[in-house]
Amino acid sequence: MSVRILSAVAATSLLALPSPAAAQYTADYIPSVVADETFPLSIRSIMRAEEIVGQSPAGVRWSADGETIYFTWVPGGNEWDADREWYRVPAGGGEPVRLTDDEEDDLNVVTASGDISPDGEWELIGLGGDIWLRDRDSREMVQLTATRGGEGQATWSADGSEIFYRGGEDLFAMSVENGRIRQLTDIRAGDPPSFEPEEEDDPQRRFLIEQQRELFEFIRRQHQEDERQRLEREEAANEPPEPGELQPTYVPNGERVGQMVPNGDGSYIAISTFRDSGGDTEATPVPFWITESGYTEPRNVRSKVGDSQPGRSRAGFIDAATGEVTYFDAAPEDFEGNVSTQLLGWNDAGTHALIAGSSDDDENRWLWTVEAATGERALIHHLYDEAWVGGPCGGCRGWLPGEDRVWFSSEESGYVHLYVANADGSGVTALTSGNWEVQSATILDLDRAEGRNRFWVTTNEGDPANTHQGWLQYDDGGAVGPIDYLTEGDGRFSVTLSPDLERAAVLANFGNRPAELFVADADDVMEMEEVTTTPTEEWLSFDWLWPEIVQIPADDGIDVPARIYRPADLGAEPNGAAVIFVHGAGYLQNVHNGWSSYYREYMFHHFLAANGYTVLDIDYRGSAGYGRDWRTAIYRFMGGADLSDQVDGAEWLVANEGVDADRIGIYGGSYGGFITLMALFTAGDTFKAGAALRSVTDWAHYNDGYTSNILNDPQEDEEAYRMSSPIYHAEGFGPDQHLLIPHGMVDTNVHFSDVVRLAQRLIELGKENWEMAVYPVENHGFTVPSSWTDEYRRIFELFERTLSEPGCTEAGGLCAVPGR
């Protein structure tokens, strides 16, 4: 099936089927509308999830000869907990074939790639801790190392005469001509040996030593010999090394070596070291309740925000002739604060390295070039954000091949775009611009000898609901024309090109269909042929909606995108009630023309719509895909703009979809659960019922990496935590509102103790109409179908009791569940 055909059938026809008689509600209850008797639209059926939808192809690899595509896959019809298995398909298409054990053992060999020699004839391959050499024409391979210690990170010298590689903590160079190996570094832990005479600090001991020297000639002669040997060692250590003589490099105790990258001739080695986080941090124990031993088993997981000291990293150059390390700062001299440094590689000439620095508060990022011989540095780019620096394409940066120019991504314009600059920081030029984002970028070519002057990019140019990939050409003056996209139309596409760039393996997914693998010619990708069908025929028999994307006018004048599911889309009569779904993660995009990562909820929304509910799914402020201002709108106040967007969505439903303002519910998990709590506690009577799944109740108890960026540390910004944490607002939960709190008891992300603390708060406040549902074997992301079924049965029952008919939320009032 071609993509054009698949896109053409995306429009959903309306169904008008007769309503069955009311029945006692269970997880098997089928609503008034089903698309086909083959697939019963029930919660139990939906929550089979992986069994019927399967697990889409992933991990796409090409064989080195470009003749075969490999990928992992679990077609529908397997058990929900089936492991992914490797499959292969010819480059021209055909039926996928599962790999045998022997083929899987050889997979790394046939798909491996590595650094290509300057003449383009050879490729270095790392396999199983050893280094291999592959002829790029014949594909024959020769093993270069075979040791128990292991070698890796193999690269060619600039002239192709040597192969640099890492063995243990050191770097080595192997001669291509005769196989001779020379060691480039001698990394040692600790401080260099001192040749200063040791002085006794204790006065009493020093008196005895001086007395011995005064009284005994033997002691005096021994002391004189010790001093002579010390001076000889000091003199020898200060002599210039003989040519080729290896000198040790000392790394302070407590630091570990990260990267070591030699320049083109091995005269300098760029090195990065890191020190693990320190301080008196305390990990939170999470009890595992259902265990084989029968005993509750506590496991320590993570510390809390503000109680975690970040690790430290720094970078420098080793002078191979002397072994000395020159470290350099990755922040301006007048900057006060801790900075971590990342090493990004050498220019082709091997004279300058590219380094990046980031402040611990993530408000500053710097990009520098540093000259190896002098240590002089030049600032290429500095990005400051009073909230925090972020966005997609964070690792998009490097040297332009064959030039002393740098490329990098930046959110400086408000959206992530690509830039180039000279090595001295001058000539900064934007390659892309506009109210859209570059989401990934790399310089993709196979032969260093031919040079490279184009980027392979992924963007959402034109419409944030779609993602496309293509080539961005550049020259000395910047970009050459617009991006030449290989994909087009509605959907989300991920293209993996063959080694010769002639064929394309495409993972394409759409608003009503999970990702499938397609193959095509690289010069006409949209004429691609589908080679996998992941869901079962039963699942495919249902006419799943491609949800319409609508724009919600927010109170600040911004249009907020949302997916909508209308009862009429499923041939059902609206009941006047609505449910708003809040996606998790915060920084995540769920309103797009692709398959939702919340695919259980996607199916559940069909179920709700078929039962008369209008469902809205909003990409609120803080979501991904819409630029810097959207991303950072929640700084210092989660539950502010992000919640306001939900309230505006509720008002839009009333004004445009005929929804009863007194019958709007809300639900979501993780960050969505947090927003649900804030909605019920702080948004007045906008929402009458909510289900807060695996929700954060107090941000002071969440992790440091996520929370400190947005709210700072609790000991430094208590106001931000008080404004943003539902537990401080629980008194706002009204007597006519209803709350369900489902949570996994072994949640290692948002700990079960979060909702235990909130429960105690609600008890002490005397609140009614709330309940908890606990799941003894579930972590943050549920896995067992029976748990999913129970959870969503409870969510639906909540909405049926409180929203399905007018007057449901009056004190003491309950709506009738079918059959009750």
Side-chain angles (χ1 to χ4, degrees), residues 15 31-34 41 46 542 545 564-579 601-616 796 799-800:
L15 303 171
S32 59
V33 176
V34 292
L41 189 61
I46 288 169
F542 193 91
L545 301 175
I564 191 167
Y565 302 77
R566 297 181 176 93
D569 294 339
L570 289 161
E573 288 293 326
N575 64 10
V579 172
E601 288 78 1
Y602 165 81
M603 293 188 286
F604 182 61
H605 296 162
H606 284 70
F607 179 83
L608 289 174
N611 277 277
Y613 295 89
T614 302
V615 183
L616 201 62
F796 181 64
F799 293 148
E800 285 286 273

Side-chain angles (χ1 to χ4, degrees), residues 27-89:
D28 295 312
Y29 169 68
I30 300 174
S32 59
V33 176
V34 292
D36 190 289
E37 292 183 359
T38 304
F39 183 85
L41 189 61
S42 67
I43 292 177
R44 190 180 304 278
S45 182
I46 288 169
M47 296 307 161
R48 288 179 292 163
E50 295 94 347
E51 295 178 12
I52 51 174
V53 179
Q55 300 179 48
S56 291
V60 174
R61 301 185 193 177
W62 281 91
S63 60
D65 60 13
E67 294 181 358
T68 308
I69 301 166
Y70 297 89
F71 58 97
T72 64
W73 190 34
V74 182
N78 287 281
E79 295 293 328
W80 62 269
D81 57 351
D83 292 330
R84 284 183 168 273
E85 294 183 305
W86 281 100
Y87 286 76
R88 57 179 168 82
V89 67

Side-chain angles (χ1 to χ4, degrees), residues 62-67 91 116 136 139 442-448 450-456 470-471 473 484 486 495-505 520-525:
W62 281 91
S63 60
D65 60 13
E67 294 181 358
I116 298 170
R136 297 186 69 212
R139 302 294 170 186
T442 187
I443 296 176
L444 182 63
D445 208 315
L446 304 179
D447 202 328
R448 297 195 322 189
E450 295 179 1
R452 294 164 284 183
N453 62 344
R454 58 181 179 171
F455 293 94
W456 177 247
W471 296 107
Q473 203 82 13
D484 179 17
L486 274 65
V495 180
T496 304
L497 295 171
S498 61
D500 60 6
L501 307 183
E502 296 294 328
R503 294 285 289 170
D521 288 332
D523 59 359
D524 193 7
V525 168

